[in-house]
Amino acid sequence: MLCANVNSHVACRFLHYNWVWRSLICFLVFNSEIISVVIVQFTFHFSFLIVMEWGDDVKAVSEDEAVVLVNHQATGDVCTLMMCLQDKGTVVRQMMWLMDHIFKYTNFGIVSLIHGDFFIRQGKAHRDQQLVLLKEHLEKYYRSRNRKWIVLFPEGGFLRKRRETSQAFAKKNNLPFLQHVTLPRLGATQVILKTLVAPQENGTPAGGDAVIKESKSKGLQWVIDATIAYPKGEPIDIQTWILGYRQPTVTHVHYRIFPIKDVPAEPEALSQWLYQRFIEKEDLLSHFYETGAFPSLQGQTKAVSREMTLSNLWLVGIQSLAFLSGGPNGFALLLLLNFIRRR
């Protein structure tokens, strides 16, 4: 009887306080950025992958709010972009990602879920519902978690899966024939701009202006157009990142920065603006596959690239921080602090 009473008492306290599980959740939430950084930079360095950056310097706008538009070829695009942003100041800790729901089941899926990223289901059957859920997600998490950049793949799927459908749509609607990218979809981009652009920034009041006023945010200031290119047009998938079975590879990323005030708000004009960005991506990638380099920026006589590097001191520091915060001592400290607060 005593044993039963003790067990009942313990069970009741566990169900009432739940402090162990809450501590575990706190641990994952407060360390999600560190965990994601370690996962990506570990696989990056031990897979012998190199990233070369071209075009505008996005460090210049790393403290401002921006939406990043990226072409999508394979699951490795997410890893590539994550790695590129490791040396762009604190923005890597203040980003929100829109990713295909398949990424929930990758090595960093649980971290991204806790971090507040949005996993979107593709397909016409899910499209309208997903846009509603995206708007709700942005209003609930984007500024409450102090996010600055939001990353989006407007094509809505991998190049190899969408190319044929996109080309058929282009032919039917008298649009350019694209080989290296597909025509972007408007839905998610429009929701993001309506929800996160400050009132009157691009000529039309933003749908999320109440959230902006509450957080005293300036709203989105920039659109960063990022174009990823792989040698010979052979993209890297996430299995390669994790297992490192591909020969050392140089991946190239080109950036262009546009002020948000230059982006139209009206759907038809925004659609044409997006189409033009991806037509330009097509030209960039065609030039790259022909010459092995991106074209020079306006005013440059020669295109300049820069290798994305992380200092050894930074690597040692982030690994040490991950160990201290993620090891038994760090978790035990969280348990103790939560227990003391409960008492």
Side-chain angles (χ1 to χ4, degrees):
M1 182 64 67
L2 178 61
C3 182
N5 288 337
V6 170
N7 287 339
S8 297
H9 177 69
V10 171
C12 287
R13 285 185 60 84
F14 176 78
L15 291 174
H16 180 69
Y17 290 115
N18 229 346
W19 59 274
V20 172
W21 292 108
R22 291 185 184 187
S23 295
L24 177 59
I25 293 171
C26 288
F27 166 75
L28 291 172
V29 169
F30 289 122
N31 294 280
S32 60
E33 290 90 354
I34 295 174
I35 295 169
S36 62
V37 167
V38 171
I39 290 172
V40 173
Q41 63 95 354
F42 179 86
T43 55
F44 176 86
H45 285 279
F46 285 91
S47 298
F48 301 103
L49 303 174
I50 299 171
V51 175
M52 301 297 294
E53 297 182 305
W54 304 72
D56 294 331
D57 184 4
V58 295
K59 283 185 180 179
V61 298
S62 62
E63 295 302 316
D64 299 331
E65 290 190 27
V67 56
V68 185
L69 308 178
V70 195
N71 61 313
H72 210 7
Q73 301 178 61
T75 49
D77 296 340
V78 174
C79 304
T80 297
L81 202 57
M82 279 186 176
M83 201 60 226
C84 287
L85 300 175
Q86 300 301 324
D87 68 340
K88 305 298 186 293
T90 59
V91 71
V92 73
R93 296 191 293 106
Q94 297 173 292
M95 298 183 68
M96 179 177 286
W97 294 76
L98 267 65
M99 295 182 280
D100 191 283
H101 76 286
I102 193 174
F103 284 98
K104 280 185 181 180
Y105 313 107
T106 64
N107 59 337
F108 55 82
I110 183 62
V111 176
S112 295
L113 192 64
I114 295 171
H115 184 252
D117 299 324
F118 185 79
F119 296 94
I120 191 166
R121 292 185 65 87
Q122 305 294 345
K124 190 174 182 179
H126 306 286
R127 192 171 301 159
D128 292 340
Q129 181 193 28
Q130 290 297 296
L131 293 179
V132 172
L133 293 175
L134 172 60
K135 186 177 186 299
E136 293 174 352
H137 186 87
L138 292 173
E139 291 175 341
K140 184 175 182 180
Y141 294 113
Y142 188 80
R143 292 200 166 88
S144 66
R145 295 196 177 187
N146 194 31
R147 298 297 179 243
K148 286 189 176 294
W149 286 13
I150 181 166
V151 182
L152 169 68
F153 299 92
E155 291 164 290
F158 299 139
L159 174 63
R160 70 180 187 276
K161 292 183 177 181
R162 290 212 60 244
R163 180 158 40 200
E164 185 176 341
T165 303
S166 176
Q167 290 173 348
F169 178 85
K171 183 177 181 180
K172 182 178 179 180
N173 292 274
N174 197 29
L175 293 168
F177 182 89
L178 305 177
Q179 181 67 23
H180 305 303
V181 295
T182 64
L183 291 170
R185 290 171 173 167
L186 178 65
T189 305
Q190 188 175 23
V191 168
I192 290 170
L193 294 179
K194 279 188 173 182
T195 308
L196 301 180
V197 173
Q200 303 301 326
E201 188 66 42
N202 62 349
T204 302
D209 54 338
V211 179
I212 290 171
K213 289 177 182 177
E214 289 174 6
S215 65
K216 298 180 180 180
S217 167
K218 294 180 180 179
L220 291 178
Q221 298 292 300
W222 309 97
V223 173
I224 299 173
D225 184 14
T227 304
I228 300 176
Y230 299 96
K232 300 180 182 180
E234 299 175 355
I236 301 174
D237 56 30
I238 200 167
Q239 296 95 320
T240 302
W241 270 85
I242 297 171
L243 301 175
Y245 56 76
R246 183 166 169 173
Q247 291 296 317
T249 303
V250 180
T251 303
H252 300 258
V253 182
H254 184 280
Y255 304 106
R256 290 190 68 196
I257 302 174
F258 298 89
I260 200 72
K261 61 183 178 61
D262 294 344
V263 181
E266 193 274 325
E268 181 60 32
L270 176 59
S271 181
Q272 294 302 316
W273 188 89
L274 275 176
Y275 285 165
Q276 188 58 40
R277 300 290 74 77
F278 277 78
I279 292 169
E280 291 171 0
K281 285 179 182 291
E282 175 77 10
D283 295 338
L284 285 171
L285 290 167
S286 295
H287 188 280
F288 176 84
Y289 294 136
E290 290 173 5
T291 66
F294 283 114
S296 58
L297 294 173
Q298 187 174 2
Q300 289 182 340
T301 56
K302 183 180 179 180
V304 179
S305 64
R306 51 198 177 273
E307 182 177 348
M308 202 297 297
T309 58
L310 298 175
S311 69
N312 291 331
L313 180 62
W314 188 92
L315 292 173
V316 171
I318 197 67
Q319 292 283 19
S320 300
L321 185 59
F323 174 78
L324 292 174
S325 62
N329 292 335
F331 182 57
L333 178 61
L334 281 173
L335 290 176
L336 178 60
L337 289 174
N338 203 14
F339 178 75
I340 294 173
R341 183 176 66 84
R342 283 291 182 184
R343 299 292 288 180

